[in-house]
Amino acid sequence: MTTLIVEIRCKFAEEQTLLKGDVVTMTTDWYETLVEKQVTYALNLNGKIVLIENVPARVNEETGEQFFSPSTVERLQQTILDRKEPDHFIQVPVYNYSSSAA
């Protein structure tokens, strides 16, 4: 499988007003590297955890943020709405954050 790496370079300008009323425009440059990966999509649906495996996504290498194409989102929604029999089941441990030791 070929891995697609996409670099996004962005520039935005933000105007800020200083105390004296002067307007200063500040420009910031940044770039992101997104890598095509297969991910597991998790959803809490009415108190039940639903996992969909092998979902194509572009993943930010630095932050782990996942981006899905519109067609992938439509297919995810349809998969959840169809409520077909899942491929398999797993057991998941559940912890309560507020009762865990610091």
Side-chain angles (χ1 to χ4, degrees):
M1 182 172 104
T2 304
T3 301
L4 174 66
I5 298 177
V6 177
E7 284 197 13
I8 299 174
R9 297 185 186 274
C10 300
K11 182 181 280 193
F12 70 92
E14 177 181 340
E15 285 190 359
Q16 294 184 348
T17 304
L18 301 178
L19 293 176
K20 296 178 181 176
D22 297 330
V23 175
V24 176
T25 301
M26 300 174 65
T27 302
T28 304
D29 289 328
W30 83 91
Y31 72 94
E32 296 178 333
T33 301
L34 304 178
V35 178
E36 287 280 342
K37 291 186 176 182
Q38 301 288 315
V39 300
T40 298
Y41 181 80
L43 174 69
N44 184 336
L45 184 64
N46 299 322
K48 295 183 179 182
I49 303 298
V50 177
L51 299 178
I52 303 175
E53 298 177 318
N54 302 312
V55 179
R58 289 187 176 172
V59 180
N60 182 314
E61 285 190 319
E62 185 177 336
T63 66
E65 186 174 4
Q66 299 172 349
F67 300 91
F68 303 100
S69 71
S71 62
T72 298
V73 172
E74 287 178 13
R75 188 164 168 190
L76 285 169
Q77 291 172 342
Q78 194 60 50
T79 299
I80 293 164
L81 292 174
D82 286 347
R83 297 187 178 214
K84 294 180 182 176
E85 185 68 23
D87 293 333
H88 61 277
F89 290 87
I90 61 171
Q91 286 186 306
V92 179
V94 178
Y95 300 94
N96 186 337
Y97 179 80
S98 63
S99 66
S100 61

